Amino acid sequence: MPLFITYASYSNAGIKGIIDKPIDRTEPIRAVVEKAGGKLIAAYMTTGPHDVVIVTEQADGSDAVAVGMAAAASGAVAKLETVRAWTLDEFKGIAQKASRCAEAYVPPGR
């Protein structure tokens, strides 16, 4: 299954919830990911521009977006970004395809 990385930042209400009831958030995250048909690979609290980084396997991007929408709808998440990830070996195949396609591409103005 495709791999997705989600970066999330909690809203003020989300941070208050974490402080009011400090628990390991792995299982609540796993539950919503599995409800969408995916698998939680890893979940981390982080410093910097994002509070949370979540790595999941999902059938496709729409499942990953549905998980994010469900979390955002709760009001506990202020910012969310989900990206598709490829292993380096998988990306080699993409680069090879791009190499084949490049000869057919005509840049603007030529």
Side-chain angles (χ1 to χ4, degrees):
M1 276 200 290
L3 194 65
F4 293 90
I5 299 172
T6 299
Y7 305 97
S9 297
Y10 285 111
S11 65
N12 290 342
I15 295 294
K16 182 169 179 1
I18 289 171
I19 291 171
D20 288 349
K21 187 176 180 184
I23 64 166
D24 179 340
R25 299 284 308 150
T26 304
E27 289 312 312
I29 293 168
R30 183 184 321 280
V32 70
V33 168
E34 289 179 355
K35 187 73 170 179
K39 178 181 175 185
L40 178 65
I41 304 300
Y44 302 98
M45 293 299 292
T46 61
T47 58
H50 308 290
D51 298 322
V52 182
V53 174
I54 301 166
V55 181
T56 60
E57 287 183 340
Q58 302 280 349
D60 64 37
S62 65
D63 294 336
V65 171
V67 168
M69 287 178 70
S74 74
V77 178
K79 183 179 175 189
L80 201 60
E81 179 182 358
T82 300
V83 298
R84 170 72 160 86
W86 293 267
T87 65
L88 297 178
D89 186 54
E90 290 169 332
F91 201 77
K92 177 185 170 193
I94 294 168
Q96 289 169 335
K97 184 181 279 187
S99 179
R100 290 189 303 272
C101 294
E103 63 189 41
Y105 179 71
V106 177
R110 290 202 183 164

